Amino acid sequence: MNIRFSYRRIDDNEKKQLKETVNKDSNGIREVLGKFDSDAVRLEGAVEKHGSKALYRARLKLHLPGKTLVALEEADNGDAAIRQAFAELRRQVKRFKHLAKNDYLWKRPKRRVELRSQLSGSADLDREQYKEYADLVKPHLPEVYHFIRRELAYHQSLGELSPADIRAEEVLDAVVARGLEGLSNRPRHLEILPWLTGMALEIIQEEMHASRIRRRRVSTEDLAPTDPMDISDDEDTRMYEFYQPDEIIRMEDIIPNPESNNPEEAETIRERALLVHHALSLLPPPWRHTLVLADVHGMKMSELAEILHETPEQLQQLRTCAEAFMRDWLGQHMVQDDLEQTTTRELLGSPLREPLPEELQAEILEKIIPLE
């Protein structure tokens, strides 16, 4: 493993001490990498001291063949920031090795078969009704997809879900299927976007519950069943025999590329976005859902009350608490003047940054409308 590390605004005496920490923790990364360690692996890092307060930021980027892992941590001393960043990087390396073994892929084809079967027999409708439903949900699929990716990123970063449990595409599949099943029971006063988003939340919660049960019952080190299921005709089975997609949704994947021609300004905007998403991941789910759905997706409190099962007054209190916590946490990691001049909506960003892949939308709509 090749290592390149830089130290900014740090005097020589402190730099000597921090170098010892870097060397020690770099050896820990080598041990975790094991057989994955090679000359092709490159570790880049930097530790920087804040200009006006006792705050250190450590950034690590580990380049692996076909994958890049990133860790960003802050602390009131450089040694702690470096150790925390390396600890996070070790966690990501372990997860990367676990996924590279392909020991979870035996479950995926069965999951795909279950989700697809929901659309094939979910409702007794004629072709025209299927088409009306497709036209109803199509405009909202990109925004629901973005919300799903954001939610999965939070849960994966906290270790509550893994890519082996469910992917964003599968959640969207299940949302459309469940919506087709419950179309006749949809509350008429509820708009389509909140209705679909509420089902997405239900499905993700169900997957988290199922994941907790699986983790209690089955060790990830156990061998996969010799013949776990009979799906010899499933196209996904044949594909996964030789192809493993990149399924982890990281915080970096749900923020936009900064629209700035100034590299330093773009990096500052990007780092702020990462901090905001990290702050959101620390919120209790009801707080986060209220803040994100209201300020990012522009939903009304009356709509949120319907899908979050709280009164509008209670949700307004949750939103106020969530905003106060987020700003307090960010105040410890950002320049206070910048934070005060930025609205909550500007901090959280736009809802439609991650476009829905055209092939995914076409696949879902094709499932809804039966072929002649």
Side-chain angles (χ1 to χ4, degrees), residues 99 104 107-108 111-112 114-115 118 148-149 151-153 155-156 160-175 178 199-211 214-215 240 246-249:
L99 295 175
Y104 64 92
K107 298 185 298 183
R108 179 52 54 73
R111 177 63 181 163
R112 296 294 290 175
E114 292 173 351
L115 290 174
Q118 293 181 40
I148 291 169
R149 282 176 53 84
E151 276 299 295
L152 292 184
H155 292 303
Q156 289 182 13
E160 297 169 343
L161 280 175
S162 78
D165 294 318
I166 196 165
R167 297 165 58 194
E169 294 86 347
E170 294 169 342
V171 177
L172 192 61
D173 257 354
V175 166
R178 187 167 297 187
M199 288 187 288
L201 281 173
E202 291 176 358
I203 291 165
I204 292 173
Q205 289 299 317
E206 291 166 6
E207 286 297 324
M208 289 178 60
H209 178 69
S211 178
R214 285 194 295 268
R215 286 198 296 268
Y240 278 114
D246 181 9
E247 297 170 328
I248 297 177
I249 305 176

Side-chain angles (χ1 to χ4, degrees), residues 94-220:
K94 290 177 182 178
R95 185 167 64 173
F96 169 78
K97 290 178 65 178
H98 168 65
L99 295 175
K101 292 176 183 177
N102 292 344
D103 59 356
Y104 64 92
L105 290 181
W106 65 271
K107 298 185 298 183
R108 179 52 54 73
K110 181 180 179 182
R111 177 63 181 163
R112 296 294 290 175
V113 170
E114 292 173 351
L115 290 174
R116 286 175 177 176
S117 66
Q118 293 181 40
L119 280 171
S120 62
S122 59
D124 185 17
L125 304 174
D126 58 34
R127 182 176 177 81
E128 189 60 32
Q129 289 172 311
Y130 277 108
K131 187 177 184 305
E132 288 178 3
Y133 176 69
D135 292 339
L136 195 66
V137 301
K138 180 180 177 180
H140 305 285
L141 293 181
E143 193 162 354
V144 176
Y145 179 68
H146 174 71
F147 173 78
I148 291 169
R149 282 176 53 84
R150 182 193 287 261
E151 276 299 295
L152 292 184
Y154 295 142
H155 292 303
Q156 289 182 13
S157 69
L158 296 172
E160 297 169 343
L161 280 175
S162 78
D165 294 318
I166 196 165
R167 297 165 58 194
E169 294 86 347
E170 294 169 342
V171 177
L172 192 61
D173 257 354
V175 166
V176 173
R178 187 167 297 187
L180 190 58
E181 283 183 335
L183 183 59
S184 60
N185 298 321
R186 178 178 70 87
R188 295 304 170 188
H189 62 276
L190 190 62
E191 296 293 334
I192 299 300
L193 178 59
W195 179 58
L196 296 175
T197 304
M199 288 187 288
L201 281 173
E202 291 176 358
I203 291 165
I204 292 173
Q205 289 299 317
E206 291 166 6
E207 286 297 324
M208 289 178 60
H209 178 69
S211 178
R212 285 193 292 268
I213 294 175
R214 285 194 295 268
R215 286 198 296 268
R216 287 198 296 265
R217 292 179 178 176
V218 182
S219 169
T220 56

Side-chain angles (χ1 to χ4, degrees), residues 19 59 201:
K19 282 184 176 180
R59 291 179 289 183
L201 281 173

Side-chain angles (χ1 to χ4, degrees), residues 306-333:
E306 186 77 30
I307 64 177
L308 299 179
H309 310 294
E310 298 283 359
T311 66
E313 294 75 21
Q314 289 172 324
L315 291 175
Q316 187 58 55
Q317 291 179 353
L318 293 183
R319 186 198 167 281
T320 301
C321 292
E323 183 180 13
F325 174 89
M326 182 184 71
R327 286 187 172 275
D328 182 67
W329 190 89
L330 291 174
Q332 302 174 39
H333 300 80

